[in-house]
Amino acid sequence: MKNVTIAAAIAASALASPVLAQEAGDFSGVKGTAIAGYDNTDFGIDGAGSTDNADGFLYGASLGYDIQSNNIVYGVEAEITESTGELTGGGASVDASRDLYAGARLGFVVGDSALLYAKAGYTNARYTASGGGFGGIAGNADGVRVGAGIEYKLSDNAFVRGEYRYSNYEAGVSRNQVVGGVGFRF
């Protein structure tokens, strides 16, 4: 995964260099985004290897605010998502449920329609477990999320985005997600 991230950063730098002199489109303002994608939750169960991963469909929404200064975009955002990921076996099940996120992002405008960005912040995941000695427990786990993506303007107010993010929670739980979104600036 590190090689893919490094290759993407090099490609973005190479693509950005020729367009630095162009006037950038405005990415400032309040925005709302509907998101959906792939969710892989690793529950960190000792001795389970890769069998402790729950794959599922992720869906939700985010609300944020960006400020653009020249080709640099600074932003904050909050997000709520739900996942269909579930791990079952041995009469037990663990569900990857809702996830909350609040953080910041820093981006660089490429041309007048694309924004390459990185993000980081606080995340809180909820999980539920039942059967196999779990006894129907539910819990929340605090963590940190980092990610990177691209946002592309379709018009002055509409945009699409694609993003990869990694979340690391307490108790050895982690998440890898690939999401896409459609949003509007108000």
Side-chain angles (χ1 to χ4, degrees), residues 24-28 30-31 68 112-115 151-161 182-186:
D26 191 12
F27 284 85
S28 297
V30 177
K31 64 179 182 203
Q68 183 171 340
D112 60 354
S113 297
L115 173 69
E151 185 172 299
Y152 185 80
K153 290 177 71 168
L154 300 174
S155 69
D156 286 342
N157 296 334
F159 62 89
V160 293
R161 70 196 267 188
V182 176
F184 296 95
R185 293 194 187 281
F186 305 101

Side-chain angles (χ1 to χ4, degrees), residues 77 79 117 119 148-150 161-165 177-180:
E77 59 188 2
E79 177 182 288
Y117 64 89
K119 66 191 292 180
I150 185 169
R161 70 196 267 188
E163 179 177 292
Y164 165 78
R165 63 258 195 106
Q177 300 170 330
V178 178
V179 299

